[in-house]
Amino acid sequence: MAQDQKPELPYNAKLVVRQPEVGLGSPSFVPSPQVRGMKSLADGTVYWVSSDNRQLLAYQGNRLAWKTDVVAACSTIIGQPKIRKVVLSSKTIFVTVGDRTFAEVNADTGKVSKSDVQRD
């Protein structure tokens, strides 16, 4: 009987929203107690923000594909050092950290390719 059970997911699927269909809004989410991640329409990857709001993780099914500490990868952070918003794009994930710091994360590898502070 135990063999018939599905493996336990490493994240809470109830806290994952589905990426909206193309044209139905921005594929983004704000981490909160009700939402911790988003499932990509393209390949089913779940992008998850850790409970401390520092790391972004990618899961393919119940397997961890990659994880990266986005907060640590940003050289300068204006405001509280935590992930505030995640926006999915085809090859790049745009992450807002703090009030005005933005990071670009490679969707395939999890590597932070760029971080910058928005100037007034």
Side-chain angles (χ1 to χ4, degrees):
M1 293 240 175
Q3 301 95 319
D4 296 334
Q5 293 179 352
K6 288 185 177 179
E8 194 74 25
L9 290 173
Y11 55 86
N12 185 342
K14 294 177 185 173
L15 302 180
V16 176
V17 295
R18 287 184 49 82
Q19 177 180 345
E21 298 289 338
V22 176
L24 293 181
S26 176
S28 65
F29 69 96
V30 175
S32 71
Q34 295 79 29
V35 177
R36 300 298 317 163
M38 178 177 280
K39 186 172 188 173
S40 168
L41 284 177
D43 60 6
T45 300
V46 171
Y47 298 99
W48 182 265
V49 175
S50 62
S51 59
D52 64 0
N53 289 331
R54 294 181 59 87
Q55 296 183 338
L56 182 63
L57 300 89
Y59 291 99
Q60 293 172 332
N62 64 349
R63 185 182 66 82
L64 178 66
W66 53 258
K67 76 176 179 179
T68 189
D69 189 333
V70 179
V71 172
C74 296
S75 57
T76 304
I77 298 174
I78 307 295
Q80 189 176 4
K82 69 177 195 172
I83 295 174
R84 293 191 178 270
K85 186 175 183 180
V86 178
V87 179
L88 302 185
S89 183
S90 59
K91 293 290 179 191
T92 305
I93 302 166
F94 300 96
V95 182
T96 304
V97 180
D99 294 332
R100 299 184 319 200
T101 304
F102 300 90
E104 294 180 11
V105 179
N106 182 300
D108 295 327
T109 65
K111 300 282 186 224
V112 176
S113 60
K114 179 180 176 184
S115 72
D116 201 5
V117 174
Q118 179 184 16
R119 308 281 180 216
D120 289 336

